[in-house]
């Protein structure tokens, strides 16, 4: 028996040496270590042995079994390592290969203007306020001094959701939201960029466009504060040499109301195609907040005054970059959009 066991031992080690795959390993393991294997069958024969022989024989079988197990385990690790090594060698990365080139995206000109204007006003201590695009008629019109039958509604009576809701036609309702929230206590200094909707369609107007509203409420605010604020804005946006002039105008929620022009940055004021020979370019609407609006929004007009302005985002961008049609902002043409990469 012992002789046969030694033979099995030698055969097993020989076979283990020759294994070169995981499958092969499993076959050898079955041959020598499964319950039905010859080696394990020997275990069953132990009961036939004499007591004094049994222990030594058991130990002998076990030592063979352990040795085969260990060798198999050793082989398994070696095979795994070899497999990993082969995989790594196959997957060599050549770091000198040229990489893919990704085209970098760029900010939309609309957003460039929003960011620049925001930066200018944040620098002057303004906060950014937001308001809803689906707005109550009450905020879009009534609180801005435009009652139901007011003719000033005509120009902006556009996209209604139902009797009381519409797509806001201007960012001015944010004025009312901010004032009501302040509960009669100043100061307020906000700008509010956002989308507005009107029935409008030509080269410089679209049914949806952007506005930036500005509102300042405090004690002793006057037209001089408005003018100097607009001058600082014009110079930061269109160059140090810009001047601002105010022409009287009409908005229901400001009194007095003005339209502000900047001196033409193309010709410096001499008159050219851009400024239609006038030397001035209209840039925004503004005025002192109407006392009735202040009162409706909870402010004591003996104590507080304010100014407001509203500027068209696309209008500023079109002037600044010489863009000739408003629709270019919305058609996502890469040839157009990639021209603003460097800003
Ligand atoms: N909301 C006005 C418009 O859309 C602009 C404006 C804002 C005028 C604030 C005065 C004060 O035409």
């Amino acid at each position: 028996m012992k002789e046969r066991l030694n033979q099995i031992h030698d055969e097993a080690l020989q076979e283990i040496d020759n294994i070169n795959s995981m499958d092969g390993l499993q076959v050898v393991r079955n041959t020598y270590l499964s319950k039905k294997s010859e080696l394990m069958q020997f275990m069953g024969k132990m009961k036939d042995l004499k007591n004094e022989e049994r222990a030594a024989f058991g130990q002998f079988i076990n030592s063979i079994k352990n040795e085969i197990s260990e060798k198999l385990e050793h082989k398994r690790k070696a095979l795994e390592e070899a497999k990993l090594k082969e995989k790594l060698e196959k997957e060599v990365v050549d770091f000198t290969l040229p990489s893919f080139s990704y085209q970098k995206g760029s900010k939309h000109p609309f957003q460039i203007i929003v960011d620049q204007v925001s930066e200018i006003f944040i620098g002057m201590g303004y906060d950014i306020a937001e308001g809803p695009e689906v707005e109550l008629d009450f905020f879009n019109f009534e609180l801005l001094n435009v009652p139901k039958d007011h003719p000033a509604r005509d120009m902006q009576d556009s996209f209604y959701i139902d009797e009381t809701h519409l797509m806001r036609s201007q960012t001015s309702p944010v004025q009312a939201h901010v004032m009501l929230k302040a509960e009669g206590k100043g100061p307020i200094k906000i700008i509010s960029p956002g989308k507005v909707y009107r029935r409008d369609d030509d080269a410089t107007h679209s049914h949806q466009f952007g506005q930036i509203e500005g509102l300042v409420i405090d004690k002793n605010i006057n037209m001089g504060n408005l003018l100097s604020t607009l001058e600082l804005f014009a110079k930061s946006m269109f160059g140090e040499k810009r001047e601002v002039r105010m022409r009287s105008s009409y908005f229901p929620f400001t009194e007095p109301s003005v339209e502000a022009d900047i001196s033409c940055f193309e010709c410096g004021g001499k008159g050219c195609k851009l400024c239609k020979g006038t030397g001035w370019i209209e840039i925004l609407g503004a005025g002192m907040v109407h006392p009735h609006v202040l009162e409706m929004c909870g402010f004591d007009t003996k104590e507080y005054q304010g100014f407001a302005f509203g500027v068209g985002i696309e209008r500023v961008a079109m002037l600044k970059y010489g863009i000739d049609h408003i629709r270019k902002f919305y058609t996502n043409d890469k040839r157009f959009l990639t021209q603003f990469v460097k800003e």
Side-chain angles (χ1 to χ4, degrees), residues 144 155-156 169-173 175 196 198 209 211-214 250-254 256-259 284-289 307-311:
L144 297 175
M155 282 194 302
Q156 301 189 15
S169 62
Q170 47 187 350
T171 43
S172 300
Q175 289 187 33
V196 302
R198 283 182 206 176
F209 62 101
Q211 281 190 333
I212 300 177
E213 194 78 10
Y250 174 77
F251 299 104
F253 41 91
T254 46
S257 300
V258 296
E259 252 157 274
L284 53 78
M288 299 304 292
V289 180
F307 65 75
F309 57 87
V311 56

Side-chain angles (χ1 to χ4, degrees), residues 2 6 16 36 69 87 93 110 117 119 131 134 148 151 177 181 184 189 192 207 248 252 270 290 297 324:
K2 221 168 175 178
N6 274 326
I16 291 171
K36 284 185 192 141
S69 273
K87 198 172 160 216
V93 178
F110 182 96
V117 175
E119 214 168 282
V134 176
K148 287 262 182 292
H177 283 292
K181 209 172 153 207
K189 267 174 103 176
S192 184
H207 64 280
S248 70
K270 282 191 225 90
H290 197 294
C297 294
D324 60 358

Side-chain angles (χ1 to χ4, degrees), residues 4-227:
R4 179 61 196 140
L5 280 171
N6 274 326
Q7 239 176 5
I8 292 175
H9 168 262
D10 294 348
E11 273 169 28
L13 294 197
Q14 176 86 39
E15 277 185 43
I16 291 171
D17 263 352
N18 293 336
I19 293 173
N20 53 21
S21 74
M22 286 293 181
D23 287 347
L25 191 87
Q26 195 53 42
V27 172
V28 175
R29 190 189 300 277
N30 282 343
T31 311
Y32 292 98
L33 298 181
S34 71
K35 273 196 189 139
K36 284 185 192 141
S37 65
E38 198 182 347
L39 184 65
M40 293 300 118
Q41 299 287 319
F42 271 108
M43 292 278 200
K45 289 185 182 144
M46 281 191 5
K47 61 180 182 316
D48 304 333
L49 295 174
K50 292 189 201 115
N51 274 352
E52 57 269 33
E53 281 173 348
R54 203 177 286 150
F57 187 72
Q59 261 173 17
F60 184 57
I61 294 184
N62 263 336
S63 73
I64 293 176
K65 188 185 135 201
N66 288 343
E67 195 182 340
I68 294 174
S69 273
E70 259 168 45
K71 288 263 155 61
L72 278 170
E73 180 57 18
H74 207 252
K75 189 73 188 186
R76 191 186 61 78
K77 278 193 183 141
L79 282 171
E80 257 170 19
E81 265 167 38
K83 205 170 146 193
L84 182 68
K85 201 169 158 224
E86 189 188 305
K87 198 172 160 216
L88 287 175
E89 271 165 12
K90 261 199 223 149
E91 286 177 2
V92 171
V93 178
D94 182 353
F95 291 105
T96 65
L97 278 175
S99 67
F100 299 110
S101 71
Y102 290 102
Q103 213 185 345
K104 222 171 153 190
S106 57
K107 258 194 214 170
H108 195 285
F110 182 96
Q111 193 59 38
I112 293 173
I113 298 300
V114 171
D115 289 351
Q116 284 179 352
V117 175
S118 302
E119 214 168 282
I120 292 167
F121 282 96
I122 286 168
M124 289 194 266
Y126 286 60
D127 288 325
I128 310 278
E130 278 184 52
E133 283 175 34
V134 176
E135 186 56 282
L136 282 165
D137 181 288
F138 184 61
F139 277 91
N140 196 79
F141 292 127
E142 305 259 334
L143 281 175
L144 297 175
N145 233 2
V146 190
K148 287 262 182 292
D149 52 359
H150 198 289
R153 279 197 180 213
D154 282 357
M155 282 194 302
Q156 301 189 15
D157 238 357
S158 298
F159 300 113
Y160 280 83
I161 311 281
D162 57 31
E163 290 251 317
T164 49
H165 294 84
L166 75 159
M167 299 308 288
R168 68 177 177 189
S169 62
Q170 47 187 350
T171 43
S172 300
V174 181
Q175 289 187 33
H177 283 292
V178 173
M179 280 192 267
L180 284 171
K181 209 172 153 207
E183 293 179 339
K185 271 215 187 79
I188 292 173
K189 267 174 103 176
I190 59 105
I191 58 161
S192 184
K195 286 182 207 150
V196 302
Y197 304 81
R198 283 182 206 176
R199 205 193 60 199
D200 241 341
D201 184 26
D202 63 28
T204 55
H205 296 85
S206 155
H207 64 280
Q208 178 216 290
F209 62 101
Q211 281 190 333
I212 300 177
E213 194 78 10
L215 175 72
V216 171
I217 306 280
D218 206 349
K219 294 168 182 170
N220 302 317
I221 295 291
N222 56 49
M223 289 285 277
N225 301 129
L226 171 60
L227 180 61

